[in-house]
């Protein structure tokens, strides 16, 4: 797998705190850091958000294709990930290919096309240098999600149990392809998780260079 240097990804089930950690990181951010997320704020990402919120109904395969189209633009479009990383900026992205392999792997696996579709749609995308997996018991995650006003289509317990299981299955395969993966115990306080993330980030060549 081709790896993009300076590219870091946050992964985990819903309610595992990836977005909270992104906010914490943004506050610590220096000029070398660019925080971003998938689905993006672009036109394809907006359509995905509508589908996630249940405002539009789309088939599992359609959604899988939209996620990869959104990713294509996010990576290679103007002002995208590749451009930022190439300039020597550290890019941290909330969710990436592994989210598609996990979530769309489950939903497409239950339909005619099968779970190979997300693999096929994502096989040519480069990998990140470092991937954090925020590991959390789905029952704790469900408690955290209760506080949210709007529920998305994947935010129910049984689905999240499969999500966690699939992340755990796929992570070793992913790290075997040259991506450094770090599993974080996401049941800790946001501050503790933030420290663990920050300490790992400091080991990246780009931060060692700019320290
Ligand atoms: P998330 O960042 O967790 O949403 P929010 O900010 O609303 O908490 O991500 C939105 C949802 O999108 C999440 O349930 C995971 C899902 N998702 C996929 O199913 N496939 C993908 O490829 C990506 C990037 C996200």
């Amino acid at each position: 797998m081709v790896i993009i240097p300076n590219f870091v990804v946050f992964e985990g089930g819903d309610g595992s705190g990836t977005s909270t950690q992104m906010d914490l990181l943004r506050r610590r951010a220096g000029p070398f850091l660019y925080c971003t997320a998938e689905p993006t704020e672009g036109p394809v990402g907006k359509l995905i958000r509508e589908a996630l919120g249940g405002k539009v109904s789309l088939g599992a395969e359609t959604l899988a294709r939209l996620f990869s189209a959104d990713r294509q633009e996010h990576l290679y479009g103007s002002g995208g990930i590749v451009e930022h990383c190439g300039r020597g900026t550290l890019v941290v992205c909330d969710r990436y290919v592994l989210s598609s392999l996990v979530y769309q792997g489950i939903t497409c696996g239950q339909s005619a096309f099968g779970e190979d579709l997300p693999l096929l749609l994502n096989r040519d995308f480069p990998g990140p240098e470092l991937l954090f997996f925020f590991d959390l018991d789905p029952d704790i995650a469900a408690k955290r999600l209760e506080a949210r006003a709007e529920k998305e289509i994947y935010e129910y317990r049984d689905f999240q149990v499969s999500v966690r299981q699939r992340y755990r299955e796929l992570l070793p395969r992913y790290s075997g392809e040259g991506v450094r993966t770090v599993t974080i115990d996401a049941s800790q306080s946001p501050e503790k998780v933030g420290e663990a993330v920050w300490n790992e980030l400091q080991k990246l060549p780009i931060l060692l260079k700019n320290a």
Side-chain angles (χ1 to χ4, degrees), residues 11-15 18-19 37-40 48-49 52 63-64 67-68 70-71 94-104 107 122 145 148 150 152-155 159-160 167:
E11 290 283 359
D14 290 82
T18 57
S19 307
E38 293 186 1
T40 68
I48 293 173
R49 289 268 173 214
L52 293 178
L63 210 44
F67 275 115
S68 72
D70 188 39
R71 185 160 299 130
D94 188 356
R95 300 192 178 280
Y96 184 60
V97 165
L98 196 55
S99 280
S100 282
L101 302 187
V102 169
Y103 286 76
Q104 280 64 58
T107 55
N122 287 280
L145 289 171
R148 294 196 192 170
E150 284 180 29
E152 291 186 343
I153 54 172
Y154 302 137
E155 293 178 354
F159 190 82
Q160 292 299 320
Y167 265 119

Coordinates of all heavy atoms in Angstrom, one line a residue, residues 11-15 18-19 37-40 48-49 52 63-64 67-68 70-71 94-104 107 122 145 148 150 152-155 159-160 167, ligand 1:
E11 N -10.1 6.7 13.9 CA -11.2 5.7 13.5 C -11.8 5.2 14.8 O -11.1 5.2 15.9 CB -10.6 4.5 12.7 CG -10.2 4.8 11.3 CD -11.3 5.0 10.3 OE1 -12.5 4.8 10.7 OE2 -11.1 5.2 9.2
G12 N -13.0 4.8 14.7 CA -13.7 4.2 15.9 C -15.2 4.2 15.6 O -15.7 4.7 14.7
G13 N -15.9 3.5 16.5 CA -17.4 3.4 16.4 C -18.0 4.8 16.7 O -17.3 5.7 17.2
D14 N -19.3 4.9 16.5 CA -20.0 6.1 16.8 C -20.0 6.3 18.4 O -20.2 5.3 19.1 CB -21.4 6.1 16.3 CG -21.5 6.2 14.8 OD1 -21.3 5.2 14.2 OD2 -21.6 7.3 14.3
G15 N -19.7 7.5 18.8 CA -19.7 7.8 20.3 C -18.4 7.5 20.9 O -18.2 7.6 22.1
T18 N -14.0 10.4 18.5 CA -13.1 10.9 17.5 C -13.3 12.5 17.3 O -12.3 13.2 17.2 CB -13.2 10.2 16.2 OG1 -14.5 10.3 15.7 CG2 -12.8 8.7 16.3
S19 N -14.5 12.9 17.2 CA -14.8 14.3 16.9 C -14.4 15.2 18.1 O -13.8 16.3 17.9 CB -16.3 14.6 16.6 OG -16.7 13.7 15.6
A37 N -12.2 16.1 8.1 CA -13.1 14.9 8.5 C -13.8 14.4 7.2 O -14.0 15.1 6.2 CB -14.1 15.4 9.5
E38 N -14.2 13.1 7.3 CA -15.1 12.5 6.3 C -16.3 12.0 7.1 O -16.1 11.4 8.2 CB -14.4 11.3 5.6 CG -13.2 11.9 4.7 CD -12.6 10.7 3.9 OE1 -13.0 9.6 4.0 OE2 -11.7 11.1 3.2
P39 N -17.5 12.1 6.5 CA -17.8 12.8 5.3 C -17.5 14.2 5.3 O -17.5 14.9 6.4 CB -19.4 12.6 5.1 CG -19.9 12.0 6.3 CD -18.7 11.5 7.1
T40 N -17.1 14.8 4.1 CA -16.6 16.2 4.1 C -17.7 17.2 4.1 O -18.9 16.8 4.0 CB -15.7 16.4 2.8 OG1 -16.6 16.3 1.7 CG2 -14.6 15.3 2.7
I48 N -24.2 12.8 1.6 CA -24.1 11.7 2.5 C -24.7 12.0 3.9 O -25.4 11.2 4.5 CB -22.6 11.3 2.7 CG1 -22.0 10.8 1.4 CG2 -22.4 10.3 3.8 CD1 -20.4 10.6 1.4
R49 N -24.4 13.2 4.4 CA -25.0 13.6 5.7 C -26.5 13.6 5.7 O -27.1 13.2 6.7 CB -24.6 15.1 6.1 CG -23.1 15.2 6.4 CD -22.8 15.1 7.9 NE -21.4 15.0 8.1 CZ -20.8 14.3 9.1 NH1 -21.5 13.6 9.9 NH2 -19.5 14.4 9.3
L52 N -27.4 10.0 6.1 CA -27.1 9.5 7.4 C -28.2 10.0 8.4 O -28.5 9.3 9.3 CB -25.7 10.0 7.9 CG -24.5 9.4 7.2 CD1 -23.2 10.0 7.8 CD2 -24.5 7.9 7.3
L63 N -24.6 4.4 -1.2 CA -23.9 5.1 -0.1 C -22.4 4.8 -0.1 O -21.5 5.7 0.0 CB -24.5 4.8 1.2 CG -24.5 5.8 2.3 CD1 -24.9 7.2 1.9 CD2 -25.5 5.4 3.4
A64 N -22.1 3.5 -0.4 CA -20.7 3.1 -0.4 C -19.9 3.9 -1.5 O -18.8 4.3 -1.4 CB -20.6 1.6 -0.7
F67 N -19.4 7.6 -0.5 CA -18.3 7.7 0.4 C -16.9 7.7 -0.3 O -16.0 8.5 0.0 CB -18.3 6.6 1.5 CG -19.1 6.9 2.7 CD1 -20.3 6.1 3.0 CD2 -18.8 8.0 3.5 CE1 -21.0 6.4 4.1 CE2 -19.6 8.2 4.7 CZ -20.7 7.4 4.9
S68 N -16.8 6.8 -1.3 CA -15.5 6.8 -2.0 C -15.4 8.0 -3.0 O -14.3 8.5 -3.2 CB -15.3 5.4 -2.7 OG -16.1 5.3 -3.8
D70 N -16.6 11.0 -2.4 CA -16.3 12.1 -1.4 C -14.8 12.0 -1.0 O -14.1 13.1 -1.0 CB -17.1 11.9 -0.2 CG -17.1 13.1 0.8 OD1 -17.0 14.2 0.3 OD2 -17.1 12.8 2.0
R71 N -14.3 10.8 -0.8 CA -12.9 10.6 -0.5 C -11.9 11.0 -1.6 O -10.9 11.6 -1.4 CB -12.7 9.1 -0.1 CG -11.4 8.7 0.4 CD -11.5 7.4 1.2 NE -12.4 7.5 2.3 CZ -13.4 6.7 2.6 NH1 -13.6 5.7 1.8 NH2 -14.1 6.9 3.7
D94 N -10.6 12.9 10.7 CA -11.6 12.1 11.4 C -12.3 11.2 10.5 O -13.2 11.6 9.7 CB -12.6 13.1 12.0 CG -13.6 12.5 13.0 OD1 -13.5 11.2 13.2 OD2 -14.4 13.2 13.6
R95 N -11.9 9.9 10.4 CA -12.5 8.8 9.6 C -11.9 8.8 8.2 O -11.7 9.9 7.6 CB -14.0 8.8 9.5 CG -14.7 8.7 10.8 CD -16.2 8.4 10.6 NE -16.8 8.2 11.9 CZ -16.8 7.0 12.6 NH1 -16.1 6.0 12.0 NH2 -17.4 6.9 13.7
Y96 N -11.7 7.6 7.7 CA -11.1 7.5 6.3 C -11.5 6.1 5.8 O -12.6 5.6 6.2 CB -9.6 7.7 6.4 CG -8.8 7.7 5.1 CD1 -9.0 8.6 4.1 CD2 -7.8 6.7 4.9 CE1 -8.3 8.6 3.0 CE2 -7.0 6.7 3.8 CZ -7.3 7.7 2.8 OH -6.6 7.7 1.6
V97 N -10.6 5.5 4.9 CA -11.0 4.2 4.3 C -11.5 3.1 5.2 O -12.5 2.4 4.9 CB -9.7 3.7 3.5 CG1 -9.9 2.2 3.1 CG2 -9.5 4.5 2.3
L98 N -10.9 3.0 6.4 CA -11.3 1.9 7.3 C -12.8 2.0 7.7 O -13.5 1.0 7.9 CB -10.4 1.9 8.5 CG -10.4 0.6 9.3 CD1 -10.2 -0.7 8.5 CD2 -9.4 0.6 10.4
S99 N -13.3 3.3 7.8 CA -14.7 3.5 8.1 C -15.6 2.8 7.0 O -16.6 2.2 7.3 CB -15.1 5.0 8.2 OG -14.7 5.5 9.5
S100 N -15.2 3.0 5.8 CA -15.9 2.4 4.7 C -15.8 0.9 4.7 O -16.8 0.2 4.5 CB -15.4 2.9 3.3 OG -15.9 4.2 3.0
L101 N -14.6 0.3 5.0 CA -14.5 -1.1 5.0 C -15.3 -1.7 6.2 O -15.8 -2.8 6.0 CB -13.0 -1.5 5.2 CG -12.1 -1.0 4.1 CD1 -10.7 -1.6 4.2 CD2 -12.6 -1.3 2.7
V102 N -15.4 -1.0 7.3 CA -16.2 -1.4 8.4 C -17.7 -1.2 8.2 O -18.4 -2.2 8.1 CB -15.7 -0.8 9.7 CG1 -16.6 -1.0 10.9 CG2 -14.3 -1.2 10.1
Y103 N -18.1 0.0 8.1 CA -19.5 0.3 8.0 C -20.2 -0.2 6.7 O -21.2 -0.9 6.8 CB -19.8 1.8 8.1 CG -19.6 2.4 9.5 CD1 -18.3 2.6 10.0 CD2 -20.7 2.7 10.3 CE1 -18.1 3.2 11.3 CE2 -20.5 3.3 11.6 CZ -19.2 3.5 12.1 OH -19.0 4.0 13.3
Q104 N -19.6 0.1 5.6 CA -20.2 -0.3 4.3 C -19.9 -1.8 4.1 O -20.7 -2.5 3.4 CB -19.7 0.5 3.1 CG -20.4 1.9 3.0 CD -20.2 2.8 4.2 OE1 -19.0 3.1 4.5 NE2 -21.2 3.2 4.9
T107 N -23.0 -3.1 5.8 CA -24.3 -2.9 5.1 C -24.4 -3.6 3.8 O -25.4 -4.1 3.4 CB -24.6 -1.4 5.0 OG1 -23.5 -0.8 4.4 CG2 -24.9 -0.8 6.4
N122 N -12.3 1.1 -2.6 CA -11.3 1.9 -1.8 C -9.9 1.3 -2.0 O -9.0 1.8 -1.3 CB -11.7 1.8 -0.3 CG -12.9 2.7 0.0 OD1 -12.8 3.9 0.1 ND2 -14.1 2.1 0.0
L145 N -24.2 8.6 23.2 CA -25.0 9.0 22.1 C -26.4 9.4 22.5 O -27.0 10.2 21.8 CB -25.0 7.9 21.0 CG -23.7 7.6 20.3 CD1 -23.9 6.3 19.4 CD2 -23.3 8.8 19.4
R148 N -27.3 13.1 22.4 CA -27.4 13.8 21.1 C -28.9 13.9 20.6 O -29.6 12.9 20.8 CB -26.6 13.1 20.0 CG -25.1 13.1 20.2 CD -24.4 12.7 19.0 NE -23.0 12.5 19.3 CZ -22.1 12.0 18.4 NH1 -22.5 11.7 17.2 NH2 -20.9 11.8 18.7
E150 N -30.1 14.4 17.5 CA -30.5 13.7 16.2 C -29.7 12.4 16.1 O -28.5 12.3 16.2 CB -30.2 14.6 15.0 CG -31.2 15.7 14.9 CD -31.0 16.6 13.7 OE1 -30.4 16.1 12.7 OE2 -31.4 17.8 13.8
E152 N -28.4 9.2 13.9 CA -28.1 8.8 12.5 C -28.4 7.3 12.3 O -28.5 6.5 13.2 CB -26.6 9.1 12.2 CG -26.4 10.6 12.2 CD -25.0 11.0 11.7 OE1 -24.1 10.2 11.8 OE2 -24.8 12.2 11.3
I153 N -28.4 6.9 11.0 CA -28.9 5.5 10.7 C -28.0 4.4 11.2 O -28.5 3.3 11.4 CB -29.0 5.3 9.1 CG1 -27.7 5.7 8.4 CG2 -30.1 6.1 8.6 CD1 -27.7 5.3 6.9
Y154 N -26.7 4.7 11.5 CA -25.9 3.6 12.1 C -25.8 3.6 13.6 O -25.2 2.8 14.2 CB -24.5 3.7 11.6 CG -24.3 3.7 10.1 CD1 -23.5 4.6 9.4 CD2 -25.0 2.8 9.3 CE1 -23.4 4.6 8.0 CE2 -24.9 2.7 7.9 CZ -24.1 3.6 7.3 OH -24.0 3.6 5.9
E155 N -26.5 4.6 14.2 CA -26.4 4.7 15.7 C -27.4 3.9 16.5 O -28.2 4.5 17.2 CB -26.5 6.2 16.0 CG -25.3 7.0 15.5 CD -25.3 8.5 15.8 OE1 -26.4 9.0 16.3 OE2 -24.3 9.2 15.4
F159 N -25.8 -2.7 15.7 CA -24.9 -2.3 14.6 C -23.6 -1.9 15.1 O -22.5 -2.3 14.6 CB -25.6 -1.1 13.8 CG -24.8 -0.9 12.5 CD1 -25.1 -1.6 11.4 CD2 -23.8 0.1 12.4 CE1 -24.4 -1.4 10.2 CE2 -23.1 0.4 11.2 CZ -23.4 -0.4 10.1
Q160 N -23.5 -1.2 16.2 CA -22.3 -0.7 16.8 C -21.4 -1.9 17.3 O -20.2 -1.9 17.4 CB -22.5 0.3 17.8 CG -23.0 1.7 17.3 CD -22.0 2.3 16.3 OE1 -20.8 2.3 16.5 NE2 -22.6 2.9 15.2
Y167 N -13.9 -3.7 13.2 CA -12.6 -2.9 13.3 C -11.5 -3.8 13.9 O -10.4 -3.7 13.4 CB -12.8 -1.7 14.3 CG -13.2 -0.4 13.7 CD1 -14.4 0.2 14.0 CD2 -12.4 0.3 12.8 CE1 -14.8 1.5 13.4 CE2 -12.7 1.5 12.2 CZ -13.9 2.1 12.6 OH -14.2 3.3 12.0
Ligands
LIG1 P1 -19.0 10.8 12.4 O1 -17.9 11.7 12.2 O2 -18.9 9.8 13.5 O3 -20.4 11.7 12.6 P2 -20.8 12.8 13.6 O4 -19.9 13.9 13.5 O5 -22.2 13.0 13.2 O6 -20.7 12.1 15.0 O7 -19.3 10.1 11.1 C1 -20.5 10.0 10.5 C2 -21.0 8.6 10.2 O8 -20.5 8.2 8.9 C3 -20.5 7.5 11.1 O9 -21.6 6.8 11.6 C4 -19.6 6.6 10.3 C5 -20.1 6.9 8.9 N1 -19.1 6.6 7.8 C6 -19.3 5.5 7.0 O10 -20.2 4.7 7.2 N2 -18.4 5.3 6.0 C7 -17.3 6.1 5.8 O11 -16.5 5.8 4.8 C8 -17.2 7.3 6.6 C9 -16.0 8.2 6.4 C10 -18.1 7.5 7.6

